[in-house]
Amino acid sequence: MALAAACIGPYPLGPGEALRLVLERVAGTLPADDPAATVLFNVRLPRIGAALMVGGALAAAGATYQGLFRNPLVSPDILGVSAGASCGAVLGIFLSLSVVAIQGLAFVGGILTVALVYLVASGVRGREPVLVLVLAGVVMGALAGAVVSLLKILADPYDQLPAITFWLLGSLSGIKTVDVVSSLPAVVIGLVPLVLLRWRMNVLSLGDDEARSLGVDAARLRLVFVAAATLMTAAVVAISGVVGWVGLVMPHVARMLVGPNYDRMLPVAILLGGGYLLAVDTLARTLAATEVPIGILTAFVGAPFFLWLLARGRKGWA
Protein backbone atom coordinates (compact mmCIF):
# COMPACT_ATOMS: atom_id res chain seq x y z
CA MET A 1 0.00 0.00 0.00
CA ALA A 2 2.85 2.38 0.76
CA LEU A 3 4.43 1.67 -2.63
CA ALA A 4 1.10 2.25 -4.39
CA ALA A 5 0.54 5.50 -2.46
CA ALA A 6 4.03 6.70 -3.47
CA CYS A 7 3.20 6.15 -7.15
CA ILE A 8 -0.41 7.39 -7.29
CA GLY A 9 -1.21 11.06 -7.71
CA PRO A 10 -1.46 13.99 -10.15
CA TYR A 11 2.22 13.39 -10.90
CA PRO A 12 2.25 9.62 -11.53
CA LEU A 13 5.35 7.56 -10.80
CA GLY A 14 6.07 3.98 -11.77
CA PRO A 15 7.23 1.51 -9.10
CA GLY A 16 10.56 1.12 -10.85
CA GLU A 17 11.05 4.88 -11.02
CA ALA A 18 10.23 5.28 -7.34
CA LEU A 19 12.72 2.55 -6.41
CA ARG A 20 15.36 4.17 -8.63
CA LEU A 21 14.88 7.53 -6.93
CA VAL A 22 15.24 5.96 -3.50
CA LEU A 23 18.43 4.14 -4.49
CA GLU A 24 19.91 7.29 -6.02
CA ARG A 25 19.00 9.25 -2.88
CA VAL A 26 20.78 6.68 -0.72
CA ALA A 27 23.80 6.62 -3.04
CA GLY A 28 23.94 10.43 -3.17
CA THR A 29 23.69 10.60 -6.97
CA LEU A 30 20.20 12.10 -7.17
CA PRO A 31 20.04 15.36 -9.20
CA ALA A 32 18.95 18.33 -7.12
CA ASP A 33 16.44 19.60 -9.70
CA ASP A 34 14.65 16.31 -10.41
CA PRO A 35 10.87 17.10 -10.18
CA ALA A 36 9.96 13.45 -9.58
CA ALA A 37 12.32 13.34 -6.60
CA THR A 38 10.77 16.53 -5.21
CA VAL A 39 7.29 15.03 -5.42
CA LEU A 40 8.38 11.73 -3.89
CA PHE A 41 10.60 12.91 -1.04
CA ASN A 42 9.01 16.25 -0.14
CA VAL A 43 5.33 15.44 -0.59
CA ARG A 44 4.40 11.78 -0.77
CA LEU A 45 6.81 9.99 1.54
CA PRO A 46 6.14 12.38 4.49
CA ARG A 47 2.39 11.88 3.96
CA ILE A 48 2.82 8.12 3.81
CA GLY A 49 4.83 8.11 7.01
CA ALA A 50 2.31 10.40 8.72
CA ALA A 51 -0.67 8.30 7.62
CA LEU A 52 0.94 5.10 8.91
CA MET A 53 1.92 6.72 12.20
CA VAL A 54 -1.39 8.52 12.81
CA GLY A 55 -3.54 5.54 11.86
CA GLY A 56 -1.48 3.08 13.88
CA ALA A 57 -1.39 5.32 16.96
CA LEU A 58 -5.14 5.99 16.89
CA ALA A 59 -5.92 2.29 16.44
CA ALA A 60 -3.61 1.34 19.32
CA ALA A 61 -5.16 4.00 21.55
CA GLY A 62 -8.66 2.87 20.59
CA ALA A 63 -7.87 -0.75 21.36
CA THR A 64 -6.41 0.29 24.71
CA TYR A 65 -9.39 2.40 25.73
CA GLN A 66 -11.90 -0.23 24.63
CA GLY A 67 -10.21 -2.86 26.75
CA LEU A 68 -9.59 -0.48 29.62
CA PHE A 69 -13.19 0.69 29.88
CA ARG A 70 -14.67 -2.66 28.79
CA ASN A 71 -16.81 -0.89 26.19
CA PRO A 72 -16.79 -1.58 22.42
CA LEU A 73 -18.10 1.92 21.65
CA VAL A 74 -15.11 3.73 23.15
CA SER A 75 -12.75 5.68 20.87
CA PRO A 76 -9.44 7.51 21.57
CA ASP A 77 -11.21 10.79 22.33
CA ILE A 78 -13.32 9.33 25.17
CA LEU A 79 -11.39 11.34 27.78
CA GLY A 80 -11.45 14.56 25.79
CA VAL A 81 -7.95 14.42 24.31
CA SER A 82 -9.13 15.29 20.78
CA ALA A 83 -11.37 18.08 22.07
CA GLY A 84 -8.51 19.49 24.14
CA ALA A 85 -6.11 19.29 21.19
CA SER A 86 -8.70 21.01 19.00
CA CYS A 87 -9.07 23.76 21.60
CA GLY A 88 -5.32 24.34 21.67
CA ALA A 89 -4.96 24.34 17.89
CA VAL A 90 -7.93 26.66 17.36
CA LEU A 91 -6.50 29.04 19.96
CA GLY A 92 -3.19 29.02 18.07
CA ILE A 93 -4.93 29.77 14.76
CA PHE A 94 -7.02 32.50 16.43
CA LEU A 95 -3.82 34.13 17.73
CA SER A 96 -2.21 33.82 14.25
CA LEU A 97 0.70 31.77 15.57
CA SER A 98 3.11 29.72 13.48
CA VAL A 99 2.38 26.14 12.43
CA VAL A 100 4.86 24.77 14.97
CA ALA A 101 3.23 26.78 17.76
CA ILE A 102 -0.24 25.59 16.70
CA GLN A 103 0.90 21.97 16.81
CA GLY A 104 2.53 22.54 20.19
CA LEU A 105 -0.64 24.09 21.62
CA ALA A 106 -2.68 21.20 20.26
CA PHE A 107 -0.40 18.68 21.94
CA VAL A 108 -0.41 20.55 25.25
CA GLY A 109 -4.18 21.05 25.08
CA GLY A 110 -4.81 17.33 24.66
CA ILE A 111 -2.50 16.40 27.55
CA LEU A 112 -3.88 19.06 29.89
CA THR A 113 -7.48 18.08 29.20
CA VAL A 114 -6.89 14.45 30.16
CA ALA A 115 -4.89 15.57 33.21
CA LEU A 116 -7.88 17.66 34.31
CA VAL A 117 -10.18 14.68 33.70
CA TYR A 118 -8.03 12.51 35.96
CA LEU A 119 -7.84 15.25 38.57
CA VAL A 120 -11.63 15.62 38.64
CA ALA A 121 -12.17 11.85 38.70
CA SER A 122 -9.69 11.35 41.54
CA GLY A 123 -11.64 13.83 43.67
CA VAL A 124 -14.85 11.79 43.44
CA ARG A 125 -14.96 9.04 46.04
CA GLY A 126 -17.31 6.16 46.61
CA ARG A 127 -18.27 5.56 42.97
CA GLU A 128 -17.13 3.28 40.16
CA PRO A 129 -13.76 4.79 39.08
CA VAL A 130 -14.11 3.85 35.41
CA LEU A 131 -17.57 5.38 35.17
CA VAL A 132 -16.45 8.58 36.89
CA LEU A 133 -13.46 8.82 34.55
CA VAL A 134 -15.66 8.49 31.46
CA LEU A 135 -18.21 11.02 32.72
CA ALA A 136 -15.45 13.50 33.60
CA GLY A 137 -14.05 13.03 30.08
CA VAL A 138 -17.44 13.78 28.55
CA VAL A 139 -17.78 16.96 30.64
CA MET A 140 -14.28 18.24 29.84
CA GLY A 141 -14.73 17.40 26.17
CA ALA A 142 -17.97 19.41 26.13
CA LEU A 143 -16.26 22.39 27.78
CA ALA A 144 -13.39 22.27 25.27
CA GLY A 145 -15.93 22.05 22.44
CA ALA A 146 -17.68 25.14 23.81
CA VAL A 147 -14.38 27.04 23.81
CA VAL A 148 -13.78 26.00 20.20
CA SER A 149 -17.26 27.21 19.21
CA LEU A 150 -16.65 30.56 20.93
CA LEU A 151 -13.32 31.04 19.15
CA LYS A 152 -14.96 30.19 15.81
CA ILE A 153 -17.52 32.94 16.40
CA LEU A 154 -14.80 35.46 17.31
CA ALA A 155 -12.43 34.45 14.49
CA ASP A 156 -11.93 36.40 11.29
CA PRO A 157 -14.45 34.85 8.85
CA TYR A 158 -12.23 35.43 5.82
CA ASP A 159 -8.88 34.22 7.13
CA GLN A 160 -8.97 32.40 10.47
CA LEU A 161 -12.35 30.64 10.28
CA PRO A 162 -11.56 28.64 7.09
CA ALA A 163 -8.25 27.54 8.61
CA ILE A 164 -9.99 26.48 11.83
CA THR A 165 -12.66 24.54 9.93
CA PHE A 166 -10.10 22.78 7.75
CA TRP A 167 -8.00 21.78 10.78
CA LEU A 168 -11.01 20.40 12.63
CA LEU A 169 -11.88 18.20 9.63
CA GLY A 170 -8.43 16.57 9.66
CA SER A 171 -5.90 16.58 6.86
CA LEU A 172 -2.36 15.47 6.02
CA SER A 173 -1.96 17.90 3.12
CA GLY A 174 0.56 20.15 4.86
CA ILE A 175 2.63 17.39 6.45
CA LYS A 176 6.39 17.75 6.25
CA THR A 177 9.15 15.39 7.29
CA VAL A 178 9.88 17.49 10.37
CA ASP A 179 6.28 17.01 11.55
CA VAL A 180 6.61 13.24 11.41
CA VAL A 181 10.02 13.31 13.11
CA SER A 182 8.79 15.61 15.90
CA SER A 183 5.73 13.45 16.70
CA LEU A 184 7.40 10.06 16.38
CA PRO A 185 9.21 10.09 19.78
CA ALA A 186 5.96 10.73 21.68
CA VAL A 187 4.22 7.94 19.75
CA VAL A 188 7.06 5.51 20.50
CA ILE A 189 7.16 6.50 24.18
CA GLY A 190 3.43 5.89 24.43
CA LEU A 191 3.55 2.62 22.53
CA VAL A 192 6.36 1.04 24.58
CA PRO A 193 4.36 0.50 27.81
CA LEU A 194 1.36 -0.74 25.82
CA VAL A 195 3.54 -3.40 24.19
CA LEU A 196 5.44 -4.34 27.35
CA LEU A 197 2.29 -4.53 29.52
CA ARG A 198 -0.11 -5.81 26.85
CA TRP A 199 -0.74 -9.10 28.66
CA ARG A 200 -1.96 -7.17 31.72
CA MET A 201 -4.68 -5.52 29.67
CA ASN A 202 -6.42 -8.90 29.53
CA VAL A 203 -6.42 -8.95 33.34
CA LEU A 204 -7.54 -5.33 33.64
CA SER A 205 -10.43 -5.89 31.23
CA LEU A 206 -11.90 -8.38 33.72
CA GLY A 207 -12.65 -5.57 36.18
CA ASP A 208 -10.89 -4.05 39.18
CA ASP A 209 -11.92 -6.71 41.68
CA GLU A 210 -10.71 -9.58 39.50
CA ALA A 211 -7.50 -7.72 38.68
CA ARG A 212 -6.73 -7.13 42.36
CA SER A 213 -7.42 -10.77 43.16
CA LEU A 214 -4.78 -11.69 40.56
CA GLY A 215 -2.22 -9.36 42.12
CA VAL A 216 -2.54 -6.41 39.71
CA ASP A 217 -2.72 -2.82 40.96
CA ALA A 218 -5.69 -1.77 38.83
CA ALA A 219 -5.58 1.97 39.60
CA ARG A 220 -1.87 2.37 38.88
CA LEU A 221 -2.01 0.22 35.74
CA ARG A 222 -5.03 2.15 34.45
CA LEU A 223 -3.10 5.40 34.89
CA VAL A 224 -0.17 4.00 32.87
CA PHE A 225 -2.44 2.87 30.03
CA VAL A 226 -4.39 6.12 29.95
CA ALA A 227 -1.19 8.20 29.97
CA ALA A 228 0.36 6.16 27.16
CA ALA A 229 -2.76 6.21 24.94
CA THR A 230 -3.30 9.92 25.61
CA LEU A 231 0.31 10.78 24.74
CA MET A 232 0.04 8.97 21.40
CA THR A 233 -3.33 10.47 20.54
CA ALA A 234 -2.29 14.03 21.42
CA ALA A 235 0.93 13.70 19.41
CA VAL A 236 -0.77 12.57 16.20
CA VAL A 237 -3.85 14.78 16.46
CA ALA A 238 -1.50 17.77 16.81
CA ILE A 239 -0.18 17.22 13.26
CA SER A 240 -3.22 15.73 11.51
CA GLY A 241 -6.22 17.43 13.08
CA VAL A 242 -9.23 15.49 14.29
CA VAL A 243 -9.48 12.12 12.50
CA GLY A 244 -12.41 10.03 13.65
CA TRP A 245 -13.50 6.41 13.29
CA VAL A 246 -10.00 4.91 12.96
CA GLY A 247 -9.64 4.28 16.68
CA LEU A 248 -13.21 3.00 16.91
CA VAL A 249 -13.49 0.68 13.91
CA MET A 250 -10.01 -0.81 13.48
CA PRO A 251 -9.84 -2.49 16.93
CA HIS A 252 -13.15 -4.19 16.10
CA VAL A 253 -11.75 -5.52 12.83
CA ALA A 254 -8.61 -6.74 14.62
CA ARG A 255 -10.75 -8.38 17.29
CA MET A 256 -12.77 -10.21 14.64
CA LEU A 257 -9.59 -11.42 12.93
CA VAL A 258 -7.51 -12.63 15.89
CA GLY A 259 -9.85 -12.55 18.88
CA PRO A 260 -9.96 -10.35 21.99
CA ASN A 261 -6.55 -11.35 23.37
CA TYR A 262 -4.78 -7.98 23.65
CA ASP A 263 -1.41 -9.66 23.14
CA ARG A 264 -2.33 -10.47 19.52
CA MET A 265 -4.97 -7.82 18.92
CA LEU A 266 -2.73 -4.79 19.56
CA PRO A 267 -0.19 -5.33 16.73
CA VAL A 268 -2.95 -6.30 14.29
CA ALA A 269 -4.91 -3.15 15.17
CA ILE A 270 -1.80 -1.01 14.60
CA LEU A 271 -1.22 -2.51 11.15
CA LEU A 272 -4.87 -2.18 10.20
CA GLY A 273 -5.09 1.41 11.43
CA GLY A 274 -1.99 2.49 9.53
CA GLY A 275 -3.07 0.76 6.34
CA TYR A 276 -6.62 2.08 6.56
CA LEU A 277 -5.60 5.71 7.02
CA LEU A 278 -3.00 5.40 4.26
CA ALA A 279 -5.70 4.17 1.87
CA VAL A 280 -8.08 6.95 2.94
CA ASP A 281 -5.40 9.63 2.55
CA THR A 282 -4.48 8.34 -0.92
CA LEU A 283 -8.15 8.48 -1.85
CA ALA A 284 -8.47 11.99 -0.37
CA ARG A 285 -5.76 13.45 -2.58
CA THR A 286 -6.79 11.67 -5.78
CA LEU A 287 -10.60 11.61 -5.55
CA ALA A 288 -11.13 15.14 -6.89
CA ALA A 289 -9.22 18.20 -8.05
CA THR A 290 -9.66 19.70 -4.59
CA GLU A 291 -8.33 17.58 -1.75
CA VAL A 292 -11.02 16.14 0.52
CA PRO A 293 -10.29 16.28 4.29
CA ILE A 294 -9.61 12.78 5.60
CA GLY A 295 -11.97 13.29 8.54
CA ILE A 296 -14.87 13.39 6.09
CA LEU A 297 -13.77 10.26 4.25
CA THR A 298 -13.12 8.26 7.42
CA ALA A 299 -16.69 9.03 8.49
CA PHE A 300 -18.16 8.14 5.09
CA VAL A 301 -16.25 4.86 4.99
CA GLY A 302 -16.17 4.06 8.69
CA ALA A 303 -19.82 4.58 9.59
CA PRO A 304 -21.34 2.10 7.08
CA PHE A 305 -18.52 -0.35 7.75
CA PHE A 306 -19.14 -0.16 11.48
CA LEU A 307 -22.85 -0.82 10.93
CA TRP A 308 -21.90 -3.85 8.85
CA LEU A 309 -19.64 -5.06 11.66
CA LEU A 310 -22.46 -4.68 14.16
CA ALA A 311 -24.80 -6.69 11.94
CA ARG A 312 -22.25 -9.40 11.17
CA GLY A 313 -20.01 -9.61 14.23
CA ARG A 314 -21.60 -11.90 16.78
CA LYS A 315 -18.42 -12.81 18.61
CA GLY A 316 -14.97 -11.50 19.34
CA TRP A 317 -15.70 -9.07 22.18
CA ALA A 318 -16.58 -11.34 25.08
Side-chain angles (χ1 to χ4, degrees):
M1 290 181 66
L3 179 61
C7 298
I8 296 174
Y11 192 105
L13 296 172
E17 184 179 9
L19 180 60
R20 176 186 62 81
L21 291 172
V22 172
L23 293 177
E24 289 183 357
R25 177 71 173 265
V26 173
T29 59
L30 186 66
D33 56 349
D34 191 334
T38 302
V39 170
L40 180 64
F41 293 110
N42 295 349
V43 179
R44 291 187 186 167
L45 288 186
R47 289 190 68 156
I48 290 171
L52 293 173
M53 182 180 68
V54 172
L58 291 177
T64 301
Y65 282 132
Q66 287 178 9
L68 191 66
F69 297 119
R70 305 189 298 278
N71 191 330
L73 297 179
V74 167
S75 61
D77 56 356
I78 184 64
L79 297 184
V81 58
S82 295
S86 299
C87 186
V90 170
L91 179 62
I93 297 173
F94 180 76
L95 296 176
S96 301
L97 301 180
S98 64
V99 175
V100 175
I102 291 171
Q103 292 175 352
L105 279 177
F107 178 76
V108 173
I111 297 295
L112 285 180
T113 301
V114 177
L116 285 175
V117 168
Y118 236 95
L119 184 63
V120 171
S122 63
V124 178
R125 303 292 182 182
R127 296 186 180 273
E128 172 63 34
V130 174
L131 177 61
V132 173
L133 200 60
V134 172
L135 292 178
V138 172
V139 171
M140 289 300 172
L143 288 176
V147 174
V148 169
S149 299
L150 177 62
L151 291 175
K152 289 172 69 176
I153 292 175
L154 298 176
D156 181 359
Y158 300 104
D159 181 24
Q160 296 173 335
L161 187 58
I164 290 173
T165 303
F166 191 76
W167 193 93
L168 291 175
L169 292 175
S171 176
L172 299 177
S173 60
I175 289 292
K176 298 179 177 60
T177 303
V178 66
D179 299 324
V180 180
V181 173
S182 62
S183 298
L184 187 59
V187 174
V188 173
I189 292 173
L191 193 60
V192 166
L194 298 184
V195 173
L196 295 179
L197 300 174
R198 62 190 184 279
W199 63 274
R200 294 195 179 187
M201 175 59 74
N202 296 325
V203 178
L204 201 60
S205 63
L206 298 174
D208 287 7
D209 294 337
E210 289 81 356
R212 281 193 294 267
S213 67
L214 294 172
V216 173
D217 188 341
R220 181 177 299 177
L221 191 61
R222 186 184 301 112
L223 177 60
V224 171
F225 279 123
V226 167
T230 299
L231 182 64
M232 290 194 304
T233 304
V236 297
V237 170
I239 66 171
S240 68
V242 180
V243 180
W245 292 96
V246 179
L248 175 63
V249 176
M250 290 303 108
H252 282 278
V253 180
R255 199 174 290 113
M256 292 178 66
L257 290 175
V258 298
N261 187 347
Y262 194 75
D263 190 31
R264 296 192 302 266
M265 195 257 289
L266 177 63
V268 174
I270 293 173
L271 290 174
L272 288 173
Y276 173 66
L277 196 60
L278 178 59
V280 169
D281 182 60
T282 304
L283 185 63
R285 61 183 175 84
T286 58
L287 190 62
T290 302
E291 182 167 326
V292 181
I294 56 177
I296 296 176
L297 286 182
T298 54
F300 271 123
V301 176
F305 187 68
F306 189 63
L307 291 176
W308 176 80
L309 284 178
L310 289 178
R312 183 180 180 277
R314 300 181 178 178
K315 62 180 181 178
W317 175 253

